[in-house]
Amino acid sequence: MNISKTLLTATTAAMLSMLSIAASAQSDRNADIVVAQAASTDMTEGEIRKVDKDTKKITIKHGEIKNLDMPGMTMLFQVKDAAMLDMVKPGDKVKFRAEKAGGAIVVTEIQVAK
């Protein structure tokens, strides 16, 4: 009976050790995911070409938008909040964040570059 208890204790200890290793590996993977998400939300540099308050759209000449895998170009964007259009004017250098939403690419954040 003592041999059975010893084997059971050793087996339990080994299983707990494996679970601890697995939990540590999962924690490392979660940290990698958070870093990847942070990198994917980097702001893109651009220059305002046109602000159209009537249609709530903005034209930006921009660099690569990494989170959308989009090369630099000049294009028209919708804005998440029309108040963003009051923050910028043609010629302003900006940093912005854009995302796909409802089949469109939408500027979700914008700030005039300093």
Side-chain angles (χ1 to χ4, degrees), residues 50-68:
K50 182 179 178 183
V51 176
D52 189 337
K53 293 181 182 180
D54 292 334
T55 62
K56 298 179 184 171
K57 294 183 180 180
I58 190 169
T59 303
I60 305 174
K61 179 180 179 184
H62 63 82
E64 178 183 10
I65 303 177
K66 294 179 182 179
N67 64 307
L68 298 176

Side-chain angles (χ1 to χ4, degrees), residues 21-72:
I21 291 169
S24 177
Q26 181 63 40
S27 177
D28 289 345
R29 281 192 295 274
N30 289 345
D32 290 343
I33 290 169
V34 169
V35 169
Q37 288 173 341
S40 72
T41 59
D42 287 340
M43 296 187 88
T44 301
E45 293 183 0
E47 181 181 332
I48 304 300
R49 296 298 181 146
K50 182 179 178 183
V51 176
D52 189 337
K53 293 181 182 180
D54 292 334
T55 62
K56 298 179 184 171
K57 294 183 180 180
I58 190 169
T59 303
I60 305 174
K61 179 180 179 184
H62 63 82
E64 178 183 10
I65 303 177
K66 294 179 182 179
N67 64 307
L68 298 176
D69 195 27
M70 179 182 292

